Amino acid sequence: MMSTVEEKKDNEQYSKNFTRIPNIIFRSYPDLSKEAKFLYAYLRCIYWDMKPRFVTLRELSEATGYSIGALSKMLPQLDTAGLIHAEVRKEKARNGREHGNPKYHITIVDIWERNK
């Protein structure tokens, strides 16, 4: 069994050419559609370092190929399942007022421990 440090180093080495998906995605989430599971896989591919991202649905649609409507349904499903944390926020100007289009603040939840 790999230590956490070894696993992190292994992930960094392969992250440039491969997307690692925990097997638990395929076995333990019967309520998620195949499309939602594939979106999760795609999010892991795009955001392999698991750092939080701020993106509009349009930007995410362009990156994944999913329609804005499909993303509007699947992101909350992935959030409810505990695979990502997705929160809609607007940017704030210096005066404290919100402006611009709302953006999703997406963080991929680390589920490797659950996978073991």
Side-chain angles (χ1 to χ4, degrees):
M1 181 182 273
M2 274 194 224
S3 71
T4 306
V5 173
E6 291 171 327
E7 188 173 358
K8 186 173 184 173
K9 187 176 180 181
D10 192 45
N11 284 342
E12 288 172 3
Q13 179 183 3
Y14 287 104
S15 63
K16 295 177 184 156
N17 301 307
F18 300 94
T19 301
R20 295 178 67 182
I21 305 297
N23 289 335
I24 194 171
I25 295 299
F26 305 106
R27 297 183 186 140
S28 299
Y29 293 92
D31 295 338
L32 290 179
S33 67
K34 291 178 213 170
E35 291 81 12
K37 290 177 184 181
F38 187 76
L39 175 60
Y40 173 79
Y42 214 113
L43 290 173
R44 290 210 41 124
C45 175
I46 297 169
Y47 307 134
W48 61 269
D49 58 2
M50 298 174 64
K51 292 180 182 174
R53 298 296 200 279
F54 291 93
V55 294
T56 65
L57 284 177
R58 182 174 309 283
E59 292 166 339
L60 197 55
S61 175
E62 290 171 4
T64 63
Y66 281 107
S67 71
I68 292 172
L71 290 170
S72 296
K73 292 177 184 174
M74 289 188 287
L75 289 171
Q77 291 172 354
L78 293 173
D79 185 66
T80 300
L83 296 173
I84 66 170
H85 177 71
E87 183 180 341
V88 180
R89 297 182 187 171
K90 278 193 168 188
E91 290 185 84
K92 291 191 178 184
R94 291 183 184 176
N95 63 7
R97 288 185 168 180
E98 293 180 338
H99 67 91
N101 292 330
K103 291 187 175 186
Y104 265 91
H105 178 241
I106 297 174
T107 307
I108 298 175
V109 176
D110 185 359
I111 62 168
W112 287 104
E113 285 302 315
R114 280 191 262 168
N115 189 60
K116 292 179 182 177

